Amino acid sequence: MKRLRLLATRVLGAFASRHRDDELDEELRAHLDLLAEAHQRRGLSRADAELAARRDFGGLAQTKESYREQRGLPVLDTLLQDLRYAIRMWRRAPGFSLVVVLVLALGIGATSAIFNIVEALFLRTLPVADPSRLVYLSIESPRGSDDAFSVPDYLAYRDQNHVFAAMFASGGTMPARMIVDGAGTIQVESVNAERVSGKFFSVLGVEPAIGRLLNDEDDRADRPGAVVTISYAFWRRRFGLDPQILGRTLTLNDTPMTIVGVTPPGFFGFEIGSMPDLWYPLQMVPAVAHIDPGRLRDTGWTWLRLLGRLQSGISPSHARAEIDVLFQRSIQDQAGRLEARGALTPRERRAMVERRIELHSGAAGWSRFREPLTAPLVIVMIAVGILLVIACANVANLMLARAASRQKETAVRLALGAGRRRIVRQHLTESLLLAAAGGTAGVAIARWGAQLLLVALPQTQFTFDVSVSMRLLLFTAAVSAVTVVLFGLVPALRSTRVDVASRMKSETAGTTANRSSLVLNRVLVVTQVALSLLLLVGAGLFVRTLQNLEGIDTGFDRDRVITFRIDSGGYAAERRNDLYRRVLARLTTLPGVRTASVSSFGLLSDDGWGQRITIPDYVPRRDENMRVNGQIVGPRFFETIGTPLVSGRDFTDQDAQPRDRRRGVAIVNETMAHRFFDGRDAIGLRFGTPSGDSMEIIGVARDIKYSTLRDAAPPTFYVPVFQAAVAGTTFIVRTAAASAKPAETLRRAVRDVDPAVLVHAVRPLDELVNASVARERFVAQLASVFGLLALVLASTGLYALISYSVTRRRADIAIRMALGAARSRVIRMVLGEDLGLLAAGFAVGLPAAIAASRLVETLLFGVTATDPATIVMASAVMTGVGVAAGYLPARRASREDPLIALRSE
Amino acid sequence: MPAPNPADVPYGTLDLMVLKTLQTMGRQHGYGVARRIEQMARGVLTLNQGTIYPALLRLEQQGLIKSGWGTSDNNRRAKFYEITRAGEKHLAAESKHWTRMVTLITGLLDS
């Protein structure tokens, strides 16, 4: 206690020391006066008395010094002294300080912005009870990781494990049509509904804000009357926090459900990036989605994510082992059943059994955005890291230049007996202060930048919280500290390596004699050039990738085509088909609409229907993959998307009538025609599926990039909508001219047909194509921005170094010119130095760029990692800017009057 | 053996002397404390009067004395120090400890 108080007073004592010094001075003066008076009273003269007083008192300076030491903490004292000094230096060179802080803020801020997203997506722990004991399950195989399970899987693990205190399943968050009771007119709205098992809330350990949360009783198949729990945000947004909400009914896709409770504020479940409005029991899924309740027993329908809370004392590896035993047993059973039916090739069997269960920590939740965003974030993080290093190298150079201009001052301090460590510490304090200012500004940039990034990120429905967290502040502080080491340490150490005597004697920086001291500056500039080249090459490759993807021949005409979706969730097949027919009929009557069609999977939705086919007279090779891509489309589909048929005809309204499965019609794409009907005219030929369908080929269509732009079109067949069991949801409309408000017109048209369905995702096809390369665009844009920033930093670094070097050699150059050297010769000389630095940068940077771009090869499209054109382009840009940076100081040097230059030396 | 010169103040004893002085003399300024100690120690110890200031500060930081500005007998502004209750307690304990030590050392040296 006493010690604490002592420390506190001493820490306090370190501050406001000027006032305290004044007080001490006054006290000591009073003492000396009293002492002198006493001596005077004993008969000494005034002068002698004062002298005697000083003698009695002892060393005044020593007293003050030891008093000061006692008053504060010496370490803190010198730190404060250093800080005061640093601030004084700032005031003397505000421009320099501002530039340094800005460069650092940019580097630190950009790094922190990326970290902010990484933190929100990967690191932030869930706002639930004891998240560290949560785990989620996945199936690992050599082909990758899969975290979707079927209902029977879930029930088996739930009922047979001895390692989880409890577990739950979630069918994910899906949009649903909702109608709230009590409204006079029907008002349909789209809500995000998560399908969860009964233990969802109890495993996560949340308490309701009001009412109660779902439990096992609610999730029983035989339970009469469905119930639902809504989120706090939804309660506020939709119901204005109405306390009478409990007991009200809302209708999800025609299934009425009673609201029994509200989750606490801030709760969103376990999926990062998704914000469900409500949760309803898994057992209600067949009713809401209008599917056969038997599907819940289907082991092939994998749509659940499984999470469990480990029992205390059970390790994750132990739990994994036990669940894996259950999993292996079930796949052996499955394989056995399939083999008995002869529906399993040896290769498929191998693929089936080489899978195993893995457990992952659920502390930070689960997110479907993690997998697709990992690669872009890693690339951006690396680019940002390189940018930070360039920024630090740049600042280090500035610091070196300044340390050089302060050499005389340092020499004086060393000569007066200042310790080397003391001076290094002084310099480091200055760097620390600059980094702290840069870091503080960086936090602001990080927050703003993260929001900007979220908008640019290739996913649309992010609902991340990217507010400034403690972890982000710590990260930023750590990065700032690293920058101090990167840019401050070497100049600080260098600053004391001064030959005191010669430094103090020489007035100016001198001539060529000590040019060697620029070696470090050169190394730093070369580093910047090399790293900038690396970023420029990377930016070039990503821009080329984007251009290639954007310029690709999709096989369809994307202009003046609008697509939209209809959510008629809950309609039985007959009613739905009827709806689609009427909507299609209505659409074609709209003014300006040329044709309209429908497809089950939207273009570029990266979705499709894998289907094994059988062909009469075709003998598959051993292990040949007979699985092709199936698409379900409406009449006039090819006319609407503008894809020509190579032969045969498009689907008509007659084709789109329900008909006998064995007498269907199909259109195949060129790839499929080539592969299975090699050389023959495919029209009139037939193929089928193992389940007994048989289809006659009525047309061959040009290949199109149906699912993704990157991959070549797989063998694909098209069957008419309404013929197949699954019906289409995406409508496609080709218009004569760009309509001003297509969305409104289309919505009204659909509402005229049926007011209870929802129209959403109204988008021009062109936009859809662009959106499908959003990830590539994101990476290309960021890489370009970073490349540009790096270029700016490196060229200013180059410019500063050449200018400085020219200033130091002013006398040299002046003498040469006085002796008759031509201006062009001076320019050549200075430019030679500039080109030397550039060449060294290229020597390091080009191999590094080629090596690094191999790492991103899988993300490129239509361009190789060592694409010569890109490398030449990046090199040309770097050279152009680098030469310009050197030419300016060169020209200035050549224009100087040698007489004036020499006189000023 | 050379004639005994006045010794320096033994380490750690100055605080005790200052504390005792303030207890017997009451509220006092630095000069008064220094003069009093010097008078008492004349011929035994040499005291640089300046050294009592760090000691005063140390005692104040420990809460054993407190200070405030006031006016001296001859109307001069000066900083006055006085012992606190904690200081009294500390002095009593330290005095006892000191006496015990002296008895011990004397006993050892006499035997």
Side-chain angles (χ1 to χ4, degrees), chain A residues 875-900:
Chain A
S875 307
V877 170
M878 186 72 241
T879 310
V881 176
V883 168
Y887 180 73
L888 292 175
R891 203 180 62 157
R892 202 166 49 229
S894 74
R895 298 237 165 135
E896 201 163 17
D897 186 338
L899 280 178
I900 294 172

mmCIF file of all heavy atoms in Angstrom, chain A residues 875-900:
data_model
loop_
_atom_site.group_PDB
_atom_site.id
_atom_site.type_symbol
_atom_site.label_atom_id
_atom_site.label_comp_id
_atom_site.label_asym_id
_atom_site.label_seq_id
_atom_site.Cartn_x
_atom_site.Cartn_y
_atom_site.Cartn_z
ATOM 1 N N SER A 875 7.091 -3.356 -65.813
ATOM 2 C CA SER A 875 8.453 -2.839 -65.814
ATOM 3 C C SER A 875 8.496 -1.475 -66.493
ATOM 4 O O SER A 875 9.194 -0.564 -66.035
ATOM 5 C CB SER A 875 9.379 -3.804 -66.552
ATOM 6 O OG SER A 875 9.257 -5.098 -66.025
ATOM 7 N N ALA A 876 7.729 -1.332 -67.589
ATOM 8 C CA ALA A 876 7.741 -0.057 -68.309
ATOM 9 C C ALA A 876 7.195 1.060 -67.430
ATOM 10 O O ALA A 876 7.765 2.150 -67.363
ATOM 11 C CB ALA A 876 6.910 -0.177 -69.585
ATOM 12 N N VAL A 877 6.097 0.762 -66.726
ATOM 13 C CA VAL A 877 5.512 1.778 -65.844
ATOM 14 C C VAL A 877 6.507 2.171 -64.765
ATOM 15 O O VAL A 877 6.775 3.351 -64.509
ATOM 16 C CB VAL A 877 4.200 1.251 -65.215
ATOM 17 C CG1 VAL A 877 3.715 2.193 -64.124
ATOM 18 C CG2 VAL A 877 3.134 1.087 -66.283
ATOM 19 N N MET A 878 7.107 1.167 -64.135
ATOM 20 C CA MET A 878 8.071 1.427 -63.058
ATOM 21 C C MET A 878 9.250 2.233 -63.599
ATOM 22 O O MET A 878 9.686 3.207 -62.979
ATOM 23 C CB MET A 878 8.545 0.076 -62.494
ATOM 24 C CG MET A 878 9.436 0.176 -61.278
ATOM 25 S SD MET A 878 8.542 0.690 -59.796
ATOM 26 C CE MET A 878 9.372 2.204 -59.410
ATOM 27 N N THR A 879 9.764 1.852 -64.774
ATOM 28 C CA THR A 879 10.908 2.557 -65.338
ATOM 29 C C THR A 879 10.533 4.000 -65.665
ATOM 30 O O THR A 879 11.270 4.930 -65.329
ATOM 31 C CB THR A 879 11.383 1.850 -66.618
ATOM 32 O OG1 THR A 879 11.529 0.466 -66.337
ATOM 33 C CG2 THR A 879 12.709 2.411 -67.088
ATOM 34 N N GLY A 880 9.376 4.172 -66.308
ATOM 35 C CA GLY A 880 8.953 5.512 -66.694
ATOM 36 C C GLY A 880 8.873 6.435 -65.502
ATOM 37 O O GLY A 880 9.477 7.519 -65.484
ATOM 38 N N VAL A 881 8.163 5.984 -64.470
ATOM 39 C CA VAL A 881 7.995 6.818 -63.286
ATOM 40 C C VAL A 881 9.343 7.006 -62.579
ATOM 41 O O VAL A 881 9.675 8.101 -62.113
ATOM 42 C CB VAL A 881 6.939 6.209 -62.338
ATOM 43 C CG1 VAL A 881 6.839 7.020 -61.062
ATOM 44 C CG2 VAL A 881 5.595 6.144 -63.031
ATOM 45 N N GLY A 882 10.139 5.940 -62.527
ATOM 46 C CA GLY A 882 11.445 6.001 -61.856
ATOM 47 C C GLY A 882 12.377 6.978 -62.551
ATOM 48 O O GLY A 882 13.088 7.742 -61.900
ATOM 49 N N VAL A 883 12.391 6.972 -63.886
ATOM 50 C CA VAL A 883 13.263 7.890 -64.628
ATOM 51 C C VAL A 883 12.791 9.331 -64.422
ATOM 52 O O VAL A 883 13.600 10.239 -64.210
ATOM 53 C CB VAL A 883 13.288 7.514 -66.127
ATOM 54 C CG1 VAL A 883 13.937 8.622 -66.954
ATOM 55 C CG2 VAL A 883 14.049 6.213 -66.319
ATOM 56 N N ALA A 884 11.461 9.527 -64.434
ATOM 57 C CA ALA A 884 10.931 10.867 -64.194
ATOM 58 C C ALA A 884 11.366 11.361 -62.814
ATOM 59 O O ALA A 884 11.754 12.515 -62.645
ATOM 60 C CB ALA A 884 9.412 10.859 -64.301
ATOM 61 N N ALA A 885 11.318 10.448 -61.815
ATOM 62 C CA ALA A 885 11.702 10.831 -60.456
ATOM 63 C C ALA A 885 13.170 11.238 -60.400
ATOM 64 O O ALA A 885 13.565 12.084 -59.609
ATOM 65 C CB ALA A 885 11.433 9.673 -59.494
ATOM 66 N N GLY A 886 13.993 10.636 -61.231
ATOM 67 C CA GLY A 886 15.412 10.992 -61.235
ATOM 68 C C GLY A 886 15.701 12.198 -62.121
ATOM 69 O O GLY A 886 16.643 12.956 -61.878
ATOM 70 N N TYR A 887 14.881 12.380 -63.161
ATOM 71 C CA TYR A 887 15.158 13.444 -64.121
ATOM 72 C C TYR A 887 14.968 14.826 -63.506
ATOM 73 O O TYR A 887 15.742 15.729 -63.781
ATOM 74 C CB TYR A 887 14.260 13.290 -65.350
ATOM 75 C CG TYR A 887 14.499 14.360 -66.382
ATOM 76 C CD1 TYR A 887 15.667 14.341 -67.157
ATOM 77 C CD2 TYR A 887 13.595 15.396 -66.566
ATOM 78 C CE1 TYR A 887 15.906 15.318 -68.080
ATOM 79 C CE2 TYR A 887 13.828 16.387 -67.492
ATOM 80 C CZ TYR A 887 14.984 16.356 -68.251
ATOM 81 O OH TYR A 887 15.233 17.345 -69.161
ATOM 82 N N LEU A 888 13.967 14.976 -62.639
ATOM 83 C CA LEU A 888 13.702 16.297 -62.056
ATOM 84 C C LEU A 888 14.908 16.842 -61.299
ATOM 85 O O LEU A 888 15.372 17.948 -61.595
ATOM 86 C CB LEU A 888 12.464 16.232 -61.158
ATOM 87 C CG LEU A 888 11.149 15.983 -61.899
ATOM 88 C CD1 LEU A 888 9.996 15.808 -60.909
ATOM 89 C CD2 LEU A 888 10.850 17.150 -62.848
ATOM 90 N N PRO A 889 15.465 16.086 -60.332
ATOM 91 C CA PRO A 889 16.661 16.618 -59.656
ATOM 92 C C PRO A 889 17.846 16.765 -60.605
ATOM 93 O O PRO A 889 18.654 17.698 -60.458
ATOM 94 C CB PRO A 889 16.954 15.584 -58.561
ATOM 95 C CG PRO A 889 16.037 14.462 -58.771
ATOM 96 C CD PRO A 889 14.989 14.857 -59.732
ATOM 97 N N ALA A 890 17.938 15.898 -61.615
ATOM 98 C CA ALA A 890 19.057 15.985 -62.558
ATOM 99 C C ALA A 890 18.991 17.307 -63.317
ATOM 100 O O ALA A 890 20.002 17.999 -63.472
ATOM 101 C CB ALA A 890 18.991 14.801 -63.534
ATOM 102 N N ARG A 891 17.793 17.642 -63.776
ATOM 103 C CA ARG A 891 17.661 18.876 -64.538
ATOM 104 C C ARG A 891 17.958 20.081 -63.653
ATOM 105 O O ARG A 891 18.644 21.010 -64.041
ATOM 106 C CB ARG A 891 16.243 18.979 -65.093
ATOM 107 C CG ARG A 891 16.183 19.876 -66.303
ATOM 108 C CD ARG A 891 14.782 19.950 -66.800
ATOM 109 N NE ARG A 891 13.934 20.539 -65.763
ATOM 110 C CZ ARG A 891 12.774 21.134 -66.050
ATOM 111 N NH1 ARG A 891 12.337 21.178 -67.271
ATOM 112 N NH2 ARG A 891 12.050 21.643 -65.079
ATOM 113 N N ARG A 892 17.494 20.002 -62.404
ATOM 114 C CA ARG A 892 17.744 21.102 -61.482
ATOM 115 C C ARG A 892 19.246 21.281 -61.281
ATOM 116 O O ARG A 892 19.758 22.395 -61.304
ATOM 117 C CB ARG A 892 17.041 20.839 -60.154
ATOM 118 C CG ARG A 892 16.804 22.106 -59.363
ATOM 119 C CD ARG A 892 15.833 21.894 -58.228
ATOM 120 N NE ARG A 892 16.164 20.738 -57.440
ATOM 121 C CZ ARG A 892 15.285 19.791 -57.110
ATOM 122 N NH1 ARG A 892 14.043 19.888 -57.486
ATOM 123 N NH2 ARG A 892 15.666 18.760 -56.392
ATOM 124 N N ALA A 893 19.952 20.188 -61.106
ATOM 125 C CA ALA A 893 21.396 20.256 -60.880
ATOM 126 C C ALA A 893 22.085 20.872 -62.086
ATOM 127 O O ALA A 893 23.009 21.680 -61.942
ATOM 128 C CB ALA A 893 21.950 18.859 -60.611
ATOM 129 N N SER A 894 21.607 20.515 -63.289
ATOM 130 C CA SER A 894 22.297 20.984 -64.490
ATOM 131 C C SER A 894 22.036 22.465 -64.753
ATOM 132 O O SER A 894 22.756 23.102 -65.510
ATOM 133 C CB SER A 894 21.842 20.166 -65.688
ATOM 134 O OG SER A 894 20.531 20.557 -66.053
ATOM 135 N N ARG A 895 20.981 22.998 -64.136
ATOM 136 C CA ARG A 895 20.639 24.395 -64.412
ATOM 137 C C ARG A 895 21.291 25.348 -63.432
ATOM 138 O O ARG A 895 21.157 26.549 -63.541
ATOM 139 C CB ARG A 895 19.122 24.576 -64.308
ATOM 140 C CG ARG A 895 18.420 23.741 -65.339
ATOM 141 C CD ARG A 895 17.551 24.595 -66.207
ATOM 142 N NE ARG A 895 17.187 23.845 -67.383
ATOM 143 C CZ ARG A 895 15.954 23.812 -67.857
ATOM 144 N NH1 ARG A 895 15.003 24.486 -67.247
ATOM 145 N NH2 ARG A 895 15.697 23.137 -68.948
ATOM 146 N N GLU A 896 21.948 24.804 -62.421
ATOM 147 C CA GLU A 896 22.477 25.678 -61.390
ATOM 148 C C GLU A 896 23.721 26.398 -61.886
ATOM 149 O O GLU A 896 24.534 25.831 -62.624
ATOM 150 C CB GLU A 896 22.803 24.859 -60.147
ATOM 151 C CG GLU A 896 22.851 25.739 -58.931
ATOM 152 C CD GLU A 896 22.770 24.920 -57.658
ATOM 153 O OE1 GLU A 896 23.001 23.694 -57.713
ATOM 154 O OE2 GLU A 896 22.494 25.505 -56.620
ATOM 155 N N ASP A 897 23.855 27.641 -61.455
ATOM 156 C CA ASP A 897 25.049 28.406 -61.807
ATOM 157 C C ASP A 897 26.198 27.922 -60.947
ATOM 158 O O ASP A 897 26.156 28.016 -59.722
ATOM 159 C CB ASP A 897 24.774 29.903 -61.531
ATOM 160 C CG ASP A 897 25.928 30.772 -62.009
ATOM 161 O OD1 ASP A 897 27.045 30.222 -62.148
ATOM 162 O OD2 ASP A 897 25.704 31.970 -62.235
ATOM 163 N N PRO A 898 27.259 27.403 -61.581
ATOM 164 C CA PRO A 898 28.361 26.828 -60.777
ATOM 165 C C PRO A 898 28.964 27.847 -59.811
ATOM 166 O O PRO A 898 29.394 27.484 -58.713
ATOM 167 C CB PRO A 898 29.381 26.383 -61.831
ATOM 168 C CG PRO A 898 28.892 26.859 -63.147
ATOM 169 C CD PRO A 898 27.455 27.230 -63.017
ATOM 170 N N LEU A 899 29.005 29.096 -60.213
ATOM 171 C CA LEU A 899 29.628 30.102 -59.342
ATOM 172 C C LEU A 899 28.872 30.237 -58.032
ATOM 173 O O LEU A 899 29.455 30.228 -56.948
ATOM 174 C CB LEU A 899 29.654 31.454 -60.057
ATOM 175 C CG LEU A 899 30.802 31.591 -61.060
ATOM 176 C CD1 LEU A 899 30.740 32.937 -61.762
ATOM 177 C CD2 LEU A 899 32.131 31.399 -60.350
ATOM 178 N N ILE A 900 27.540 30.326 -58.154
ATOM 179 C CA ILE A 900 26.725 30.465 -56.951
ATOM 180 C C ILE A 900 26.875 29.223 -56.076
ATOM 181 O O ILE A 900 27.045 29.301 -54.861
ATOM 182 C CB ILE A 900 25.246 30.685 -57.326
ATOM 183 C CG1 ILE A 900 25.104 32.046 -58.040
ATOM 184 C CG2 ILE A 900 24.352 30.645 -56.088
ATOM 185 C CD1 ILE A 900 23.734 32.283 -58.617
#
